[in-house]
């Protein structure tokens, strides 16, 4: 069972992920938080496999939170799930060490695929994001 934590300031998104995972026997949501501050006080109590972070969080950006998590554990797997799909945001996340990046307009199936891919040790960048990364290089 892949254990995920979601950090996003939109409750409807967190609830949507929770509902979309009902009946999924491979992924379970163990922690959902509205901001980085709340997350940082709780996450060490969970044995999380993949962190799903919004890029634009109140108090601390997703890239900063990614850097913090990776500084504590270089094996940390972070999927950025964001409405920001511009080149600057994507490249900031990649440089921070995010293992994947997915647009919030992705469907449940793609989110599940991204989580599984990252858990298995590979990187995952949604279609729009792959084009941005390729263009940047």
């Amino acid at each position: 069972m892949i254990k995920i934590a979601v950090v996003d300031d939109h409750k409807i998104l967190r609830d949507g992920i929770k509902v979309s995972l009902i009946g999924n026997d491979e992924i379970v949501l163990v922690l959902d938080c509205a901001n980085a501050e709340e997350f940082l006080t709780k996450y060490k109590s969970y044995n999380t496999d993949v962190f799903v972070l919004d890029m634009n969080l109140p108090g601390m950006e997703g890239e900063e939170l990614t850097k913090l998590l990776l500084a504590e554990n270089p094996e940390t797997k972070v999927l950025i799930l964001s409405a920001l799909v511009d080149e600057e945001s994507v490249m900031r996340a990649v440089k921070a060490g995010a293992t994947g990046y997915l647009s919030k307009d992705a469907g449940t199936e793609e989110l599940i695929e991204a989580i599984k891919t990252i858990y298995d040790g590979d990187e995952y960048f949604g279609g729009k994001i792959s084009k941005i990364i390729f263009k940047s290089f």
Side-chain angles (χ1 to χ4, degrees):
M1 188 69 89
I2 303 169
K3 297 178 201 136
I4 67 166
V6 176
V7 185
D8 193 290
D9 55 324
H10 296 98
K11 182 168 177 24
I12 195 163
L13 181 112
R14 296 190 321 270
D15 288 348
I17 291 173
K18 196 179 305 179
V19 168
S20 70
L21 293 175
I22 292 173
N24 186 306
D25 58 355
E26 296 177 278
I27 301 171
V28 63
L29 178 62
V30 295
L31 176 64
D32 73 279
C33 298
N35 56 57
E37 183 180 354
E38 176 188 6
F39 170 76
L40 290 171
T41 64
K42 295 179 178 180
Y43 85 98
K44 289 184 180 179
S45 299
Y46 299 86
N47 188 17
T48 307
D49 298 309
V50 177
F51 297 95
V52 181
L53 312 177
D54 189 3
M55 188 64 171
N56 191 15
L57 292 167
M60 180 183 291
E61 296 289 331
E63 75 178 287
E64 294 173 67
L65 189 51
T66 298
K67 287 177 185 176
L68 186 81
L69 289 168
L70 286 165
E72 288 184 15
N73 179 3
E75 301 300 313
T76 298
K77 296 173 172 143
V78 174
L79 171 64
I80 299 293
L81 180 62
S82 181
L84 302 173
V85 291
D86 59 282
E87 183 175 351
E88 180 185 343
S89 298
V90 171
M91 293 314 294
R92 283 185 6 233
V94 170
K95 289 176 183 173
T99 318
Y101 200 112
L102 191 60
S103 170
K104 283 187 178 177
D105 67 3
T108 299
E109 289 178 11
E110 188 173 14
L111 175 62
I112 289 170
E113 179 184 350
I115 291 167
K116 287 180 185 178
T117 300
I118 289 169
Y119 177 77
D120 288 340
D122 294 318
E123 296 175 339
Y124 188 95
F125 298 96
K128 290 180 182 178
I129 311 307
S130 295
K131 290 177 186 175
I132 290 170
I133 292 171
F134 183 75
K135 186 176 119 185
S136 294
F137 289 108

